[in-house]
Amino acid sequence: MKGLADKPNDIVELLEGGVTLEDVIDGHIYEQALVEKSAFVVGDLGALMRQHACWQSIVPQLQPYYPVKCNSSPVVLQVLASLGLGFVCTNKAEMNLALDHGVSPENIILSGVCKQLAHIKHAAKNNIQYLVCENEAELAKISRLHHSAKLLLQLTTDAHAAETSMAFGSSLKSCRHLLEVAKDQGVQVVGVTFTIPSSCSDLQQAYTHALSDARCVFDMGVDLGFNLNILDIGGGFTGSEFQLRQVESAVRPLLDAYFPPLSGVQVLAQPGTFYVASAFSLAVNVIGKKMVTCHWDSLTQGDNNEDTEFLYYMNEGVYGPFSCKLLGNSIAAPSVHKHVLCAEETAYPSSLCGPSLDDLDQVVERCLLPELSVGDWLLFSNMGAYSLEESICLSDSHQLPIYYTVSTSDWYEMQEAGVALDSTMKNVSMVHYSA
Ligand SMILES: *Cc1c(COP(=O)(O)O)cnc(C)c1O
């Protein structure tokens, strides 16, 4: 990953005089229409602050630690760092990013099932003490390379095991064993971490299991003379206020029972998607079109257009910003950029593919869209999580241009909350954008 210094400046557009995000998107579509019609991303920094406000009003007892792997754009990290979030890192580059944005080492957790030796040493050198650990081999490495480490034991949960085919985390029984080994080797254990994925269908049951298991690990730790005081309930927050309320109502009574405030246990969560997903939209261009006619049930259907289906090719696909499709996530249908829409246009079943001509490069299978033409623009919302990383190099567009925006009123609120992009960030400049 490139260092901050190698990057061109990020520009944040401050929207003045009633300019809306839609106006900005229109403007960039117009600009792009004159050149290569490349896809681009628009970020609304105000959305980060609104998600933070939502988090604080619904789960004020959960301290948010942001997983850098979710979206490591410097502007996002700077906003979240100045809002006071802690950071979860999985490697050296992410630890450096967090430190570069002024996050204090005690607010950084080094996570990951299997950490490279160099990364553990890097944490030790930079005084990052909180490390996640889930197995004995990892414990041996940490005990050798990081003498002041404070471990969070990763507890497995049924819900997480069901989602990932790989065994992840440590069972109750092996937690006991890990605690004993840690004791022998003189490594401090300070807490427990687990995660319930957002795909979990029974939140109540999942959190009940996980939190009662966590309580058992705390009790075992106390038996062995450890002082456990951190409970991390992980990620799995979709970004919707409704789902956050559901998690809150599942978790609150359990926390009250097992980890009441008087117990002195600090409770953390790792909301990644929650903070960033809604802040970014992706605009892509339609570069190809095919009409597919289905003959199979022409007997039952009249000569209406229900048997007409369109297949469109877009200039980005699963080897670019839609890579989470390859991990099994579905992508919601886009909206059509407005200049092609008239009020009562017929909608047709449509499928959207990326440009690679590879069978896997299917972004959206069958959604309803008005008939599009080559050159039209589609707008995908909720693209802020796991989409914008540079590591995906198969796409020929490399890094998509990202235009950051913030409305004047959001910007005032953010400044009151302590966000100061222009003065603290070396590589960000703010420009005024008015109609
Ligand atoms: C990726 C990750 C998260 C973030 O999960 P979201 O569902 O995106 O919030 C949290 N915790 C761990 C350990 C992760 O690896």
Side-chain angles (χ1 to χ4, degrees):
M1 188 181 289
K2 285 183 280 182
L4 286 183
D6 309 328
K7 293 203 169 184
N9 265 15
D10 282 315
I11 293 175
V12 177
E13 296 168 324
L14 183 62
L15 311 186
E16 293 176 330
V19 173
T20 64
L21 195 59
E22 287 68 39
D23 298 331
V24 174
I25 292 171
D26 284 355
H28 291 303
I29 282 181
Y30 179 72
E31 272 167 43
Q32 283 296 337
L34 303 176
V35 286
E36 290 178 359
K37 302 199 178 194
S38 308
F40 63 90
V41 174
V42 178
D44 172 15
L45 301 183
L48 300 173
M49 176 196 61
R50 287 191 291 279
Q51 288 301 93
H52 185 57
C54 173
W55 184 270
Q56 286 188 311
S57 76
I58 297 172
V59 285
Q61 73 278 34
L62 299 180
Q63 268 176 268
Y65 274 62
Y66 174 74
V68 175
K69 71 161 201 279
C70 196
N71 178 330
S72 60
S73 117
V75 179
V76 167
L77 297 184
Q78 186 63 34
V79 170
L80 297 181
S82 45
L83 289 170
L85 271 73
F87 285 77
V88 185
C89 302
T90 53
N91 58 38
K92 190 167 159 179
E94 291 181 3
M95 286 186 276
N96 285 341
L97 274 174
L99 293 166
D100 283 350
H101 287 282
V103 180
S104 143
E106 70 252 32
N107 293 329
I108 297 177
I109 296 172
L110 176 60
S111 181
V113 169
C114 170
K115 294 175 271 303
Q116 290 186 37
L117 302 183
H119 300 171
I120 299 175
K121 286 188 200 162
H122 193 69
K125 194 170 103 197
N126 288 283
N127 214 22
I128 293 170
Q129 296 184 314
Y130 294 114
L131 273 69
V132 170
C133 178
E134 63 128 64
N135 64 60
E136 209 176 329
E138 205 64 9
L139 181 58
K141 290 192 301 196
I142 295 170
S143 134
R144 194 154 54 82
L145 299 171
H146 196 325
H147 300 295
S148 60
K150 298 176 174 176
L151 300 192
L152 301 174
L153 296 189
Q154 175 93 47
L155 190 59
T156 187
T157 59
D158 298 341
H160 201 174
E163 173 166 276
T164 54
S165 48
M166 268 200 329
F168 186 79
S170 167
S171 65
L172 261 189
K173 195 169 149 218
S174 38
C175 276
R176 165 150 221 117
H177 179 65
L178 274 182
L179 282 164
E180 287 164 352
V181 179
K183 182 86 195 164
D184 277 353
Q185 304 191 349
V187 182
Q188 270 194 79
V189 179
V190 298
V192 170
T193 176
F194 63 81
T195 204
I196 307 284
S198 58
S199 58
C200 171
S201 55
D202 190 343
L203 287 176
Q204 187 65 57
Q205 190 193 29
Y207 282 104
T208 304
H209 278 178
L211 284 163
S212 63
D213 284 358
R215 183 66 249 173
C216 285
V217 179
F218 270 64
D219 293 340
M220 295 189 283
V222 170
D223 280 350
L224 289 166
F226 287 112
N227 176 23
L228 277 72
N229 54 19
I230 298 176
L231 172 69
D232 170 12
I233 70 164
F237 304 91
T238 58
S240 93
E241 178 177 335
F242 175 77
Q243 193 249 7
L244 185 61
R245 286 187 193 282
Q246 282 186 314
V247 175
E248 194 275 342
S249 61
V251 163
R252 188 179 18 85
L254 296 160
L255 288 179
D256 287 346
Y258 295 127
F259 301 93
L262 277 178
S263 66
V265 173
Q266 187 189 356
V267 187
L268 325 176
Q270 301 184 357
T273 302
F274 180 86
Y275 271 88
V276 293
S278 64
F280 291 85
S281 302
L282 168 69
V284 301
N285 198 250
V286 175
I287 58 168
K289 170 180 179 179
K290 272 187 198 166
M291 191 159 90
V292 191
T293 314
C294 308
H295 301 290
W296 43 275
D297 58 359
S298 51
L299 288 178
T300 52
Q301 312 211 333
D303 57 354
N304 59 22
N305 48 33
E306 274 168 40
D307 52 0
T308 302
E309 201 177 316
F310 288 101
L311 176 62
Y312 297 105
Y313 294 91
M314 308 182 291
N315 56 352
E316 290 294 340
V318 300
Y319 300 115
F322 296 108
S323 60
C324 61
K325 183 72 199 305
L326 292 177
L327 302 175
N329 297 350
S330 67
I331 296 189
S335 58
V336 179
H337 182 252
K338 62 180 178 244
H339 75 265
V340 296
L341 273 188
C342 351
E344 63 255 57
E345 226 165 343
T346 321
Y348 298 91
S350 308
S351 294
L352 304 170
C353 306
S356 71
L357 306 182
D358 178 322
D359 282 347
L360 286 176
D361 203 358
Q362 291 262 346
V363 177
V364 179
E365 287 103 2
R366 279 181 82 97
C367 60
L368 285 175
L369 291 175
E371 184 174 355
L372 306 174
S373 313
V374 169
D376 284 344
W377 290 87
L378 296 170
L379 203 58
F380 290 85
S381 53
N382 264 311
M383 291 295 292
Y386 310 109
S387 316
L388 314 177
E389 298 308 308
E390 286 170 77
S391 54
I392 301 150
C393 49
L394 288 163
S395 154
D396 64 11
S397 57
H398 325 288
Q399 176 79 357
L400 297 172
I402 304 182
Y403 303 104
Y404 297 95
T405 64
V406 61
S407 72
T408 321
S409 59
D410 284 345
W411 181 235
Y412 288 141
E413 262 184 68
M414 288 166 81
Q415 285 174 302
E416 274 170 35
V419 179
L421 281 180
D422 35 4
S423 57
T424 54
M425 285 196 72
K426 293 166 285 216
N427 292 56
V428 174
S429 30
M430 285 197 91
V431 299
H432 298 259
Y433 189 111
S434 49

